[in-house]
Amino acid sequence: MGTIMIVEDEDPISRVLAAYIRKAGFDCAIFKDGLQAMESFDTVQPELVLLDVMLPG
């Protein structure tokens, strides 16, 4: 299956999301801020992005 990108600055939330996503058979790419995620988007080529709407910066 493909990769799902998680963009979340709170570790407990990203860990829970990643656990469910991996259990469903997907890979995860976790980023703590939007800038990191944007810089890595072309490399990761996610099928889906789960984006926190209140990120720092």
Side-chain angles (χ1 to χ4, degrees):
M1 287 199 185
T3 299
I4 296 178
M5 179 181 277
I6 299 172
V7 187
E8 172 61 60
D9 60 319
E10 295 188 37
D11 288 334
I13 295 172
S14 61
R15 281 196 303 268
V16 168
L17 289 171
Y20 279 107
I21 290 167
R22 289 182 179 122
K23 186 174 181 179
F26 292 91
D27 292 326
C28 290
I30 301 172
F31 298 92
K32 292 190 177 287
D33 63 57
L35 183 58
Q36 284 181 334
M38 286 176 43
E39 290 173 346
S40 300
F41 189 86
D42 289 336
T43 303
V44 174
Q45 296 183 343
E47 300 293 321
L48 176 72
V49 177
L50 297 178
L51 178 63
D52 182 359
V53 295
M54 300 206 39
L55 291 168

